[in-house]
Amino acid sequence: MVITGIGGTFNIIFTTVSSVFSYAFNVLLSAVFALYLLLSKEKIAKQFSHVLDTYFKTDKINYFYHILTTLDETFRSFIVGQCSEALIIGVLCTIGMYIFRFPHAMATGALVGLTALIPVAGAWIGALVGALLILTVSPIKALLFLVYIVILQQLENNLIYPKVVGTSIGLPGIWVLAAITLGGGALGVGGMLISVPITATLYRLLREDVS
């Protein structure tokens, strides 16, 4: 039992340490690669353009560039809209907590706004952490805070998010909700982040083609 227990403990420690170093190495490698791309972007873009000009027709190249431009504009607008939505729900959460005299209003509101950058599920993560903070002061207020967050989330999911994000990327609210649902079901949080701008790009290209 002693040998097995010691071996199991060392195994857990080794697995944890190796996972941390592996994650840190991946982050460092990603940062170096991203920095290299940024420093060489003009050269890479020129080489890429020469290859396209050599092997593809002009009209195909122009349409491809149009798709890339549309993707760039949509993702930029989505990021701006997502940040605006996170700011709105963070401010509303803070104001409501001050009105109802919940403790840790400023910290919880900032946390809810920060986690709201993750579509749909992010604000819930911040709300649960905020509820745990309030629980240390008053269990009743923690329960009332969760009720308040449920109401605020309904307002955010059905009114603020589709209007703010949908308007910023030119996508109707119903398609924003559909994209989040499908993207989250297929790829989790990452799918939620990329599904809306990709859907908006496809929507815009299809609308242009139909016109």
Side-chain angles (χ1 to χ4, degrees):
M1 289 176 61
V2 171
I3 294 175
T4 304
I6 294 175
T9 302
F10 274 110
N11 185 42
I12 293 173
I13 294 174
F14 177 77
T15 303
T16 303
V17 172
S18 61
S19 298
V20 170
F21 274 99
S22 176
Y23 180 78
F25 177 76
N26 287 335
V27 171
L28 178 62
L29 188 63
S30 300
V32 171
F33 186 71
L35 182 61
Y36 176 79
L37 281 179
L38 285 174
L39 294 176
S40 308
K41 63 181 184 296
E42 289 85 5
K43 182 179 179 181
I44 294 174
K46 187 178 295 184
Q47 292 173 342
F48 188 66
S49 178
H50 285 324
V51 171
L52 290 179
D53 292 337
T54 303
Y55 294 106
F56 295 95
K57 295 180 179 180
T58 303
D59 56 341
K60 300 293 184 183
I61 296 174
N62 291 336
Y63 188 68
F64 178 72
Y65 284 149
H66 176 62
I67 294 176
L68 290 182
T69 302
T70 305
L71 274 171
D72 176 59
E73 293 174 354
T74 305
F75 268 89
R76 189 189 308 116
S77 299
F78 172 74
I79 292 173
V80 172
Q82 193 69 33
C83 291
S84 301
E85 185 266 343
L87 178 62
I88 291 172
I89 192 172
V91 170
L92 289 178
C93 180
T94 303
I95 293 174
M97 291 184 69
Y98 274 119
I99 292 175
F100 295 112
R101 300 185 181 278
F102 293 132
H104 306 297
M106 186 64 70
T108 303
L111 181 63
V112 170
L114 182 64
T115 55
L117 292 173
I118 303 174
V120 181
W124 284 110
I125 299 173
L128 291 176
V129 176
L132 291 176
L133 290 175
I134 299 174
L135 186 63
T136 61
V137 178
S138 171
I140 300 299
K141 288 188 176 181
L143 182 61
L144 293 175
F145 170 74
L146 289 177
V147 173
Y148 169 68
I149 285 295
V150 168
I151 297 174
L152 184 61
Q153 276 291 91
Q154 293 299 316
L155 176 67
E156 187 253 350
N157 289 337
N158 295 288
L159 182 62
I160 299 176
Y161 188 84
K163 291 295 183 181
V164 173
V165 179
T167 302
S168 65
I169 60 178
L171 187 65
I174 182 64
W175 297 118
V176 173
L177 295 176
I180 291 173
T181 303
L182 294 176
L187 299 173
V189 175
M192 291 181 181
L193 291 174
I194 66 174
S195 61
V196 174
I198 289 177
T199 303
T201 300
L202 295 175
Y203 181 86
R204 180 174 171 181
L205 293 174
L206 180 61
R207 183 177 59 189
E208 293 175 355
D209 194 61
V210 171
S211 298

